[in-house]
Every structure is written in C-alpha cells, then in structure tokens.
Amino acid sequence: MNSLKKIANHGEFNIDFEASIKEAMGVMHRNKNGSVVLTKHDKPIAIITESDVVNALKVDMDLTKSAIEIATRKVITTNENRPVEYAFDLLIQHNIRRLVLIDNEGIYKGIVLQKDLFEYLEEDVYKIDLKVSDILKTNREVFTVTIENSIKDAVSIMQKYHIGSVVVKDKNNCVGIITE
C-alpha cells in the first residue's frame, strides 16, 4: 500500500499566515489549484479557496489585509504516511477536495488533491463512467452574464447563488464561462 506522500504536491501550495490576500491569490494563481494553505511556524492553520476570494471581492475587501481574515474553512490534515485509500474516506467524510499532509510533528509536508487520488487509484470501484445527465439536476438554473457586464457582476452572482461559475453570453450565443 502506497503512502500519501508519494502522490503529494510539494510545489507552491502554502504561504505564511501573515501574508496578504493579494499574495495568497498569487500563490493560488501560480499553483492553478484554487487554494492555498496558510501556515504558522510551518504548521497548517487554515486554507483559503476560490470561494473565500470571491466573497472577499464581493464586499470590496482590501486585498492588502492579512489572508487569515478570509479563511473560512478549517484545514483538514492527515499524516503523510497514511495509505492513499485512507484519503478518499477523509475527502468524502468532510466534503472537501484537498487534503493537507503533515509529518509526525504537525509540520506541513504537501497537499493531495481530489484529482490526484482519482488519477492514482486504478480500481474500477473508484472510477465510474457517468453521463452529464446522470449528475445534472434538471431543476438547476444556468446563470449568465453578458459581455457588457463587469467581473464584479459575475462575482456577485456567484456569491449570491453559491455557485462556482457563470456563462458569458453575447446576444443569444454562449461565448465563454467565468469560474471562481
């Protein structure tokens, strides 16, 4: 059985908790993951996701403020030596997409993403061929903005309806999508 440290991401996924929101956003942009772990003395204390940034932008928060001010979720950690299969249970149990790895002293060691687990696990029990219709709820509305709308308008809609994206339209044509 392989340990989580074998599939962990060790790149730029963490930043000191005293960093600014803008600095945290920079890390999120560079790691292309949509999250950043805040650490204090190399120990994870919080995690910021795209949703937290969207909410901060919605209220015109000063991006030079400390990133810890917008961290709304408790960071879920596990020891880096745990088996890969254990991580799946944690993700499901806590309804999260990222798992922060620590060593025996609680020091940040990396992050495992949900997509990493899906790529790693090869057993058919974890891979299901789904059709879009299998997961789409037919009573869900598709939210749109026009190309004339501002980014703030799009962010406002995402925050109001607790969604991660809006479709961009030009007249009757869909021309893009804005995500968190």
Side-chain angles (χ1 to χ4, degrees), residues 54-70:
V54 167
N55 290 335
L57 292 173
K58 170 70 174 136
V59 296
D60 293 322
M61 184 171 274
D62 178 3
L63 299 182
T64 62
K65 286 188 170 195
S66 178
I68 194 76
E69 292 187 39
I70 66 168

Side-chain angles (χ1 to χ4, degrees), residues 35-38 44-49 52 68 70-78 90-91 93-100 111:
S35 68
V36 62
V37 177
L38 302 180
I45 60 168
I47 189 166
I48 296 175
T49 66
D52 298 317
I68 194 76
I70 66 168
T72 60
R73 290 169 184 75
K74 182 180 181 218
V75 63
I76 305 298
T77 63
T78 192
L90 274 180
L91 293 180
Q93 179 183 2
H94 294 282
N95 194 26
I96 56 175
R97 292 182 285 178
R98 300 157 188 96
L99 190 57
V100 177
I111 189 167

